[in-house]
Amino acid sequence: MIGSALVRSLRADGHEVVRLVRGPARGADEVAWDPRRRYVDVSGLAGCDAVVHLAGAGVGERRWTEAYKREIRDSRVLGTAAVAEAVASLDEPPKVLVCGSALGYYGDTGARAVDESAPAGDGFLPSVCVEWEAAAAPAEEAGIRVAYARTGLVVAREGGAWGRLFPLFRAGLGGRLGHGRQYWSFIALHDEVAALRHLVDTPGLAGPVNLTAPEPVTNREVTEAMSRVLRRPAFLHVPAPALRIALGDFAADVLGSQRVLPGRLLGTGFRFAFPTVDAAIRAAA
């Protein structure tokens, strides 16, 4: 979802974009890769000014069996290693590699606000994020500027957590999850794309960068905003035990709280078009 929106944005501004595809390349705008085998057709990357790598299995797509947890981890770590090794091998490497990451790095922060200076949290997703970012080391060692885009919950109709919320709330079936006091650090899809381009275009901006709106809100506040913007009732409540039964290990992350601030984005002059949750929902609706 994010990559497709980024491609549209770049091409609309006249940039030439090539996409990594799992399978044979079918045109000049495609490059074959196989993340599991850590293979990338490096000839297709020659001359690129920037590489953006966002691929990874969806954390909310399936119940977290041990096999799917391996898929979540391997899809990120092996894919990042493949891209980092490929760009590092080029005679003329790109100026920057923007590598996907996530706010899962911080774990459950409760009501405590954190920025990029905070350490990694405990648990499965923080450990995945640590390995994910570390896999880009070959690019850093080759002297390429590497930025880690620690993305929050993207507000969009097309996919992700919010892609599931919109149909439920439109049908009047929305409601808070658990006690509702857990913080959700969100970002509008428009701002996510703009922030990724900011990472590409800002010299010296390297390391972790939180891609999240400046005003995190609680799940209760998300529920109220969705009801308000979409003009639908939201009286339902999904209790925590039911979520744990339905989602297994993933329920801990749905019920967990992440109050994460975009310190480095704001510090480098980035301006959010949709800084509030109401504005982000309206932009997606």
Side-chain angles (χ1 to χ4, degrees):
M1 177 185 71
I2 298 170
S4 296
L6 177 61
V7 169
R8 290 193 298 269
S9 173
L10 289 167
R11 286 179 171 165
D13 286 343
H15 294 284
E16 182 182 353
V17 181
V18 295
R19 298 176 300 111
L20 273 65
V21 296
R22 293 176 177 84
R26 297 181 179 178
D29 67 338
E30 294 186 349
V31 174
W33 82 315
D34 185 338
R36 286 194 171 277
R37 292 196 297 118
R38 292 170 66 158
Y39 166 77
V40 178
D41 180 4
V42 294
S43 64
L45 300 181
C48 284
D49 295 309
V51 174
V52 181
H53 168 54
L54 304 173
V59 295
E61 300 301 319
R62 304 181 199 169
R63 190 179 179 87
W64 281 10
T65 63
E66 289 303 313
Y68 195 62
K69 286 166 76 172
R70 284 194 299 274
E71 173 68 17
I72 290 171
R73 183 262 178 199
D74 289 351
S75 67
R76 287 161 172 75
V77 176
L78 299 182
T80 298
V83 172
E85 290 163 2
V87 297
S89 72
L90 292 169
D91 292 335
E92 295 184 15
K95 297 179 179 67
V96 58
L97 167 63
V98 175
C99 180
S101 187
L103 299 190
Y105 177 93
Y106 303 106
D108 191 334
T109 73
R112 176 174 54 93
V114 300
D115 61 14
E116 291 88 350
S117 65
D122 298 318
F124 172 66
L125 284 183
S127 69
V128 168
C129 290
V130 169
E131 288 190 79
W132 191 2
E133 294 180 8
E140 289 187 330
E141 292 164 1
I144 299 168
R145 177 169 66 89
V146 180
Y148 304 99
R150 292 179 180 169
T151 295
L153 294 169
V154 178
V155 185
R157 288 178 300 174
E158 296 87 348
W162 242 280
R164 298 183 179 188
L165 290 182
F166 273 106
L168 290 174
F169 276 85
R170 288 189 187 280
L173 300 175
R176 63 182 171 88
L177 305 178
H179 53 62
R181 295 187 298 275
Q182 67 272 33
Y183 275 89
W184 282 23
S185 294
F186 68 93
I187 185 168
L189 179 59
H190 174 95
D191 286 332
E192 170 76 9
V193 170
L196 289 170
R197 295 188 60 169
H198 182 76
L199 297 188
V200 169
D201 294 337
T202 306
L205 186 53
V209 183
N210 295 334
L211 272 55
T212 178
E215 301 178 22
V217 290
T218 64
N219 175 257
R220 183 187 297 275
E221 290 170 322
V222 168
T223 300
E224 293 169 352
M226 289 288 283
S227 176
R228 183 166 55 246
V229 173
L230 300 180
R231 299 183 180 181
R232 294 290 189 274
F235 300 123
L236 299 182
H237 165 225
V238 183
L243 283 170
R244 293 189 182 98
I245 292 171
L247 302 179
D249 289 349
F250 182 49
D253 290 275
V254 173
L255 296 168
S257 180
Q258 291 187 311
R259 190 178 184 183
V260 181
L261 305 178
R264 299 195 69 203
L265 273 184
L266 295 175
T268 52
F270 182 80
R271 298 291 183 88
F272 286 86
F274 305 100
T276 67
V277 69
D278 284 58
I281 293 169
R282 287 193 189 96

